[in-house]
Amino acid sequence: MNKDIEQIASSASMDLIAKAKSLKASGVDVIGLAGGEPDFDTPKAIKEKAIEELLKGNTHYAVGKGLPRLREKIAHKLQKDNSIDVSPENIIVTPGAKMAIYLAVRACINPGDEVLIPTPSWVSYTEIVRAASGVPIEVSLSPDDNYAIKKSVLEQYISEKTRMIILCSPNNPTGRMINEQEIEEIIEFVRGRDIVILSDEVYEKIAYIDRALSPGSYEELEDKTITVNGFSKAYAMTGWRLGYLAGSQKYVDVINKLYTHTITGTSPFIQEAAIVALDCDEEVAAMRKEYTRRKEYFVSELNNIPGIEVLEPEGAFYAWCKFTNIDNPAGELLEKSRVVGVPGNAYGTGFDSYVRFSFASSLDELEKAVNRIKNLMHTYKRG
């Protein structure tokens, strides 16, 4: 057995999604708010393009970094939306953004190298680093400071083995977005150091306060940053499995060697559909509008329940909730209320009193969940 793979933990969110589905299948009235999956259907134009390509017989190998037209379209998108200047040759299309992250980590670190991961953070970052024989270092951010990233905090965790820092904005699970001050702090931190920045921007289109900032758009960081994005969240294409990464040639050339020996290429009919997806601005805006409506209802209602404190999300579709008078809130909610959320300790050490709920569900489901959570918290209040 490979010891690095053997030691990695399973995905808490995937495990809970599976558990919720199993309970529903057995007749249990469970409300699943654990998954990071839009409940919208993939826009019609995207599906129609995929069907058209399938019927044309476009089902053979698409060898290489991705279809040239798609990479050109992504390069244009990165320039227009993110102010990132990158050649189509420095873009690799992958089967999902998660695979893009794995490829980047695996290709850019050596065994024993340390990767800084500001927490709370997505559950898979630490395990991907372990799978690549690296050492994940949790950089614990403070809720009292609104989880701000500061050079002074990062400096506490750096060593001679530090080779990478993973950023996520909008953040999963908190919904926070990196601001200008934090970018400046990161610039100061990496200056003169051999550290690559992996910027996960998969929730970029689901932003409520402003346009998300991309580290790779800053002159001081453009040669140090690998930008990862995908189609799952913005375009409701989770099952299509399509993402991409972009960066300077020195990173992409090495990543591409691993890519060609593992993935070969992504499905051509899906890539053709992705070209159409990048023009679905109206559909994306409509989904974001509905997420905003759900956010405003769900976060407000939860914050009105004594014993629950919810951070106002600036992006993504998660409510990061602190339970002040329950020791095991995720377990209690599942057992007594049949509401499934992801326990906070899945996102880093010290978050045992937190639960992440997804509000990428219908308002009816969210209303039911609020009522069940409210009833449970009233029970504890009486106790």
Side-chain angles (χ1 to χ4, degrees):
M1 290 289 189
N2 182 287
K3 298 300 181 183
D4 293 325
I5 304 300
E6 194 174 29
Q7 71 171 332
I8 67 175
S10 61
S11 168
S13 54
M14 293 296 104
D15 289 347
L16 285 163
I17 292 169
K19 186 168 187 176
K21 288 183 177 180
S22 177
L23 287 168
K24 284 185 177 180
S26 63
V28 177
D29 182 19
V30 65
I31 300 174
L33 303 181
E37 179 170 26
D39 64 327
F40 300 104
D41 192 12
T42 303
K44 183 180 179 182
I46 302 171
K47 294 189 294 183
E48 288 179 343
K49 182 60 177 176
I51 293 168
E52 175 190 330
E53 293 297 323
L54 280 167
L55 293 176
K56 282 167 51 177
N58 192 5
T59 57
H60 299 281
Y61 282 133
V63 177
K65 298 173 183 176
L67 297 181
R69 283 204 308 128
L70 176 56
R71 287 186 287 120
E72 288 169 7
K73 191 88 171 180
I74 291 170
H76 175 72
K77 176 257 180 258
L78 288 170
Q79 172 60 55
K80 177 173 67 77
D81 294 347
N82 311 98
S83 301
I84 295 175
D85 289 313
V86 63
S87 163
E89 281 303 304
N90 288 356
I91 293 169
I92 300 177
V93 179
T94 60
K98 185 182 287 188
M99 179 55 72
I101 293 168
Y102 173 76
L103 290 170
V105 173
R106 182 69 181 88
C108 292
I109 70 169
N110 289 298
D113 282 350
E114 295 178 352
V115 177
L116 302 185
I117 305 172
T119 61
S121 65
W122 180 48
V123 298
S124 290
Y125 295 141
T126 55
E127 307 315 311
I128 286 173
V129 171
R130 290 191 178 104
S133 301
V135 180
I137 304 296
E138 291 187 14
V139 178
S140 185
L141 304 180
S142 172
D144 297 332
D145 200 19
N146 200 29
Y147 302 107
I149 298 173
K150 296 182 177 180
K151 179 187 176 186
S152 59
V153 176
L154 295 172
E155 294 278 6
Q156 296 173 30
Y157 297 87
I158 196 169
S159 78
E160 69 280 359
K161 295 182 179 180
T162 304
R163 291 293 176 267
M164 177 181 282
I165 178 171
I166 299 179
L167 305 174
C168 177
S169 177
N171 180 266
N172 174 9
T174 67
R176 271 207 74 242
M177 288 166 59
I178 290 176
N179 57 41
E180 289 276 4
Q181 178 59 41
E182 289 172 293
I183 296 285
E184 292 300 324
E185 298 272 347
I186 292 165
I187 289 172
E188 289 300 316
F189 174 70
V190 300
R191 180 171 286 138
R193 289 173 165 146
D194 183 20
I195 296 176
V196 57
I197 297 168
L198 180 57
S199 181
D200 181 354
E201 303 180 9
V202 75
Y203 294 99
E204 165 217 7
K205 294 288 186 181
I206 309 170
Y208 308 116
I209 62 167
D210 203 351
R211 190 178 78 165
L213 298 178
S214 297
S217 67
Y218 289 76
E219 183 179 357
E220 301 93 332
L221 300 179
E222 60 182 351
D223 287 336
K224 289 178 170 286
T225 303
I226 298 170
T227 302
V228 171
N229 210 323
F231 295 82
S232 291
K233 314 299 183 181
Y235 305 98
M237 294 174 66
T238 51
W240 297 66
R241 307 314 305 136
L242 201 68
Y244 57 88
L245 62 82
S248 62
Q249 185 174 349
K250 64 180 178 182
Y251 298 130
V252 171
D253 283 353
V254 177
I255 294 168
N256 191 48
K257 290 179 181 180
L258 179 60
Y259 176 87
T260 57
H261 285 294
T262 53
I263 295 167
T264 302
T266 53
S267 301
F269 58 91
I270 293 177
Q271 292 190 67
E272 291 286 354
I275 295 172
V276 173
L278 289 170
D279 287 327
C280 289
D281 295 338
E282 290 185 9
E283 292 88 341
V284 170
M287 286 188 274
R288 184 169 56 246
K289 183 177 180 180
E290 179 60 20
Y291 287 136
T292 302
R293 192 165 75 103
R294 296 172 183 181
K295 172 186 73 73
E296 290 173 352
Y297 166 77
F298 193 54
V299 172
S300 175
E301 288 294 317
L302 290 180
N303 266 326
N304 285 332
I305 301 174
I308 302 179
E309 299 171 3
V310 188
L311 183 69
E312 181 70 31
E314 298 169 340
F317 40 61
Y318 303 115
W320 181 239
C321 307
K322 182 179 181 180
F323 288 74
T324 59
N325 56 3
I326 304 181
D327 290 336
N328 177 23
E332 292 286 282
L333 285 163
L334 176 58
E335 180 182 344
K336 297 179 180 178
S337 300
R338 297 306 188 192
V339 176
V340 184
V342 185
N345 56 19
Y347 302 99
T349 305
F351 300 107
D352 293 356
S353 61
Y354 289 79
V355 178
R356 189 205 75 175
F357 296 115
S358 167
F359 51 82
S361 297
S362 70
L363 269 177
D364 286 344
E365 285 285 282
L366 296 176
E367 288 172 3
K368 290 178 186 177
V370 165
N371 288 330
R372 293 186 186 187
I373 295 168
K374 190 179 296 183
N375 289 336
L376 176 66
M377 297 306 290
H378 284 334
T379 300
Y380 275 88
K381 187 178 180 181
R382 288 196 300 271

